Amino acid sequence: VIVEDPSVLSFSFVTLTKGYSSSVFSYILFFILLVLSAFFSSSETAFSSINVIRLKNAYDEGKIGAKKALYIAENFDKTLSAILIGNNIVNIGMASLATVIAIDLINNIQGPIFATLTATILILLFGEILPKSFAKENSLSFCLKFSWLLIIIMHIFSPFTFLVMKLKELLVKFF
């Protein structure tokens, strides 16, 4: 099919999806957010429990990702701020999206209750407990494999991390 006017395609898509907030896209987005939650949680545990001596040895051996992982471990305050910001964004997004889907599928009264229970169970199990357990057992390999991604995330969240670090410095002065 050749379409000369691309606005017809966007109109058709809007028409097909209008009123259907629990579309396939919503479920895919929910799954992506759950994967990101697992990534942030496992990153927090892996980098907070990493043996820095083993990480330095990996760097000395020239292992891929060791240089970035060592930087992350040595700047853990910034790392932790970026991880927590990202994890909160995706978890809140997941809970909100679950509520929209549940209201669309069930109703305005029972939907939010169902969404809260479902999102809580999924986030706890697949976004927190299992990823953290895995990361604790495999901290070195996790840090080496995913340090590149965490560096990118740290750069993306750097303006927010900067503010958090300044707020921390201010609070430390009072205590």
Side-chain angles (χ1 to χ4, degrees):
V1 175
I2 299 174
V3 178
E4 292 180 17
D5 184 10
S7 65
V8 173
L9 292 175
S10 62
F11 173 75
S12 299
F13 179 75
V14 171
T15 305
L16 290 173
T17 59
K18 187 175 181 183
Y20 296 99
S21 56
S22 60
S23 66
V24 172
F25 174 75
S26 298
Y27 294 107
I28 292 170
L29 181 58
F30 186 88
F31 178 75
I32 290 168
L33 291 173
L34 188 58
V35 169
L36 286 170
S37 179
F39 170 75
F40 286 121
S41 294
S42 54
S43 295
E44 177 185 356
T45 299
F47 280 98
S48 66
S49 65
I50 188 72
N51 182 327
V52 179
I53 294 170
R54 288 180 63 200
L55 197 52
K56 287 180 181 178
N57 288 339
Y59 174 73
D60 291 341
E61 293 169 8
K63 290 194 177 179
I64 296 173
K67 183 177 180 180
K68 289 179 176 76
L70 191 56
Y71 171 82
I72 292 168
E74 290 174 345
N75 295 281
F76 191 69
D77 279 352
K78 289 180 185 178
T79 303
L80 184 59
S81 294
I83 288 170
L84 293 176
I85 290 167
N87 206 15
N88 276 284
I89 290 170
V90 298
N91 287 346
I92 291 168
M94 238 187 319
S96 300
L97 186 58
T99 302
V100 169
I101 292 170
I103 287 172
D104 191 46
L105 293 176
I106 302 171
N107 61 41
N108 289 344
I109 311 261
Q110 295 165 335
I113 296 167
F114 179 77
T116 300
L117 293 173
T118 304
T120 299
I121 291 167
L122 290 173
I123 290 169
L124 275 174
L125 190 59
F126 298 108
E128 294 290 333
I129 296 169
L130 292 175
K132 287 184 178 195
S133 296
F134 172 81
K136 178 76 174 151
E137 296 295 321
N138 302 286
S139 61
L140 181 61
S141 62
F142 182 92
C143 291
L144 295 177
K145 286 180 187 171
F146 293 104
S147 59
W148 66 272
L149 182 55
L150 198 51
I151 290 283
I152 293 170
I153 290 167
M154 288 172 66
H155 285 295
I156 291 170
F157 291 140
S158 62
F160 305 109
T161 303
F162 175 78
L163 293 174
V164 169
M165 298 303 292
K166 290 299 178 186
L167 181 60
K168 178 189 155 204
E169 290 173 14
L170 184 65
L171 289 173
V172 167
K173 289 180 183 179
F174 289 112
F175 299 103

